[in-house]
Amino acid sequence: MNMIHHSQPTITAQDFRAIGACLKSGWLVQGKYVRQFEQTLSRYVSTKDAVATNSGTSALHLALLALGVKKGDEVILPSYLCTSVLNAVNYVGAKPVIVDINNDDFNISLTATRRKLTRRTKAIIIVHQFGFPTDIKPFLRLGVPVIEDCAQAIGAKYKGRRVGSLGTLAIYSFYATKMLATGYGGMVSSNNRGLINKIRDLRDFDERDDYITRYNYQMSDLVAAMGVTQLKRLNEFVRRRQHIARIYDNALKGVSCQLPKISKGTSPAFFRYVIQISGSINTFIKSMLRKGIEVKRPIYKPLHQYLDLNKASFPVTEKAYGSAISLPIYPTLTEAKAQYVARCVRDILS
Ligand SMILES: *Cc1c(COP(=O)(O)O)cnc(C)c1O
């Protein structure tokens, strides 16, 4: 049986050509392709500039360093999240302050964030979870720098603007399964040139007159060459994901599960199509596997559980963790396969 995988990159002849051209140039390390990728991405999200890195995690690390976040400072982030973001906060020695999420969109709760604000809060990390934009405007009024985590959301829109240009800084990931995939890779974008210059300075280390601790977080030109061509096709990828989401929406109407909700004024990138079921998640995963379909918990384990925080403070995250299932969604998933996935979900849940 041909497995339907949970996620898959979209690799075409354009990627082969782009990497081939880079190889032919004989230049493998950070060079003109990296600069081109930075410029086209910053133009795409409408920011002044961007700096490429070797991962989304290192992009977050440098974003926090550029904001001057250090030991004794606090950084607010949501619990329903992968550990990469928590790691970046720990790299700079700051205290992670974990908060609950919203019921509707799995994004960070404004009320919970307000409650945890102190004089020591130096940054808030807003994750556009599963490609669904956070209602970010009220967060921007809290008087604390906001880092937009667009690792899953590049191409999504909030009030007509692409995510990534709203916060103080934004970070991206080009990991193999993300919206735009190069294997590994990341980027920071911002309208603040001072911050961008600081990040550019911290990203590599060679041939400097002064010495401070710097980081070898550079992207190779091979990766950037693929990034440039992937970015050209990103809008097409997003449209295709939205199309599959509509197929699921229609085919799963009336099935006893909670479908994704689109908040007013947003256009999600549909990095994930997450449904919430009432029965056992593990049983559901096994039943789908028997039908040749790979579905997943979208978050392996919430951060408050890793940190042994009181579960009572994270009711919405707990509920999401106990009920959320991510269905296959990616540009190369055919309509027939999406219909088959929906049919299997319907059969199992009815
Ligand atoms: C993938 C991801 C990251 C980390 O990116 P890497 O490139 O894997 O280091 C950070 N935040 C979110 C929300 C992610 O999905």
Side-chain angles (χ1 to χ4, degrees):
M1 187 164 45
N2 235 339
M3 259 318 269
I4 298 180
H5 293 289
H6 175 254
S7 38
Q8 214 151 23
T10 310
I11 297 164
T12 69
Q14 279 135 300
D15 299 296
F16 283 88
R17 270 201 299 277
I19 291 173
C22 178
L23 278 175
K24 258 186 229 146
S25 79
W27 187 273
L28 303 182
V29 298
Q30 184 175 286
K32 68 176 189 208
Y33 285 97
V34 168
R35 191 62 195 132
Q36 191 190 349
F37 190 22
E38 291 171 343
Q39 285 169 336
T40 48
L41 187 137
S42 68
R43 216 175 302 133
Y44 181 81
V45 297
S46 304
T47 54
K48 286 206 178 115
D49 206 352
V51 189
T53 59
N54 59 356
S55 76
T57 309
S58 52
L60 257 170
H61 183 193
L62 296 184
L64 289 166
L65 286 173
L67 289 173
V69 180
K70 55 185 185 313
K71 201 168 150 58
D73 294 338
E74 294 176 0
V75 176
I76 297 179
L77 65 162
S79 180
Y80 198 53
L81 185 59
C82 64
T83 53
S84 141
V85 181
L86 177 63
N87 286 334
V89 174
N90 284 328
Y91 293 166
V92 300
K95 182 184 168 200
V97 176
I98 317 287
V99 300
D100 206 5
I101 54 168
N102 298 324
N103 243 316
D104 281 353
D105 60 4
F106 303 106
N107 284 328
I108 186 167
S109 153
L110 177 66
T111 322
T113 301
R114 278 217 180 94
R115 241 182 283 150
K116 292 289 186 183
L117 271 182
T118 72
R119 273 181 301 117
R120 290 182 298 278
T121 309
K122 288 293 150 59
I124 303 170
I125 301 176
I126 300 285
V127 183
H128 303 300
Q129 194 65 276
F130 309 144
F132 287 65
T134 302
D135 186 11
I136 197 171
K137 281 258 165 78
F139 288 90
L140 301 176
R141 288 188 225 112
L142 297 176
V144 174
V146 164
I147 300 176
E148 273 184 87
D149 183 333
C150 303
Q152 307 188 350
I154 187 168
K157 284 183 183 165
Y158 171 80
K159 297 188 196 290
R161 285 172 66 180
R162 294 210 172 100
V163 297
S165 65
L166 304 146
T168 314
L169 294 150
I171 71 100
Y172 309 83
S173 165
F174 313 120
Y175 177 74
T177 58
K178 301 287 165 99
M179 297 296 300
L180 181 171
T182 62
Y184 293 105
M187 190 100 68
V188 189
S189 73
S190 180
N191 280 317
N192 183 322
R193 286 203 195 278
L195 293 174
I196 288 288
N197 291 340
K198 213 179 273 181
I199 292 168
R200 209 177 282 292
D201 176 56
L202 290 170
R203 177 190 54 180
D204 39 81
F205 55 89
D206 212 9
E207 298 183 356
R208 303 299 177 86
D209 295 329
D210 65 334
Y211 178 81
I212 55 166
T213 304
R214 291 184 173 94
Y215 303 82
N216 188 2
Y217 283 171
Q218 296 164 72
M219 179 182 276
S220 99
D221 254 13
L222 283 172
V223 164
M226 184 166 176
V228 169
T229 167
Q230 289 263 314
L231 184 56
K232 277 189 194 142
R233 286 171 285 149
L234 180 61
N235 286 343
E236 192 186 309
F237 294 170
V238 172
R239 275 197 297 277
R240 183 74 199 159
R241 285 172 179 275
Q242 290 169 339
H243 178 65
I244 292 160
R246 275 194 298 275
I247 292 178
Y248 284 155
D249 282 344
N250 290 326
L252 295 175
K253 253 187 215 134
V255 178
S256 70
C257 64
Q258 173 80 58
L259 302 183
K261 287 188 195 147
I262 300 181
S263 304
K264 238 180 77 196
T266 70
S267 170
F270 278 101
F271 173 65
R272 295 278 185 251
Y273 189 94
V274 176
I275 61 170
Q276 293 185 78
I277 64 171
S278 46
S280 151
I281 284 190
N282 289 334
T283 309
F284 183 81
I285 292 175
K286 278 187 211 129
S287 309
M288 289 293 277
L289 258 186
R290 272 197 296 275
K291 293 173 184 289
I293 301 164
E294 187 187 30
V295 299
K296 283 194 168 179
R297 282 178 190 273
I299 298 294
Y300 187 76
K301 187 166 157 172
L303 301 183
H304 73 269
Q305 291 191 11
Y306 281 113
L307 300 177
D308 270 329
L309 306 176
N310 186 355
K311 287 186 180 181
S313 305
F314 303 90
V316 188
T317 303
E318 281 290 316
K319 176 175 166 276
Y321 185 57
S323 64
I325 285 284
S326 170
L327 304 183
I329 187 164
Y330 37 90
T332 55
L333 187 72
T334 62
E335 288 185 19
K337 282 186 175 161
Q339 295 287 4
Y340 173 68
V341 170
R343 210 156 51 236
C344 293
V345 172
R346 183 179 275 278
D347 288 349
I348 292 168
L349 293 181
S350 57

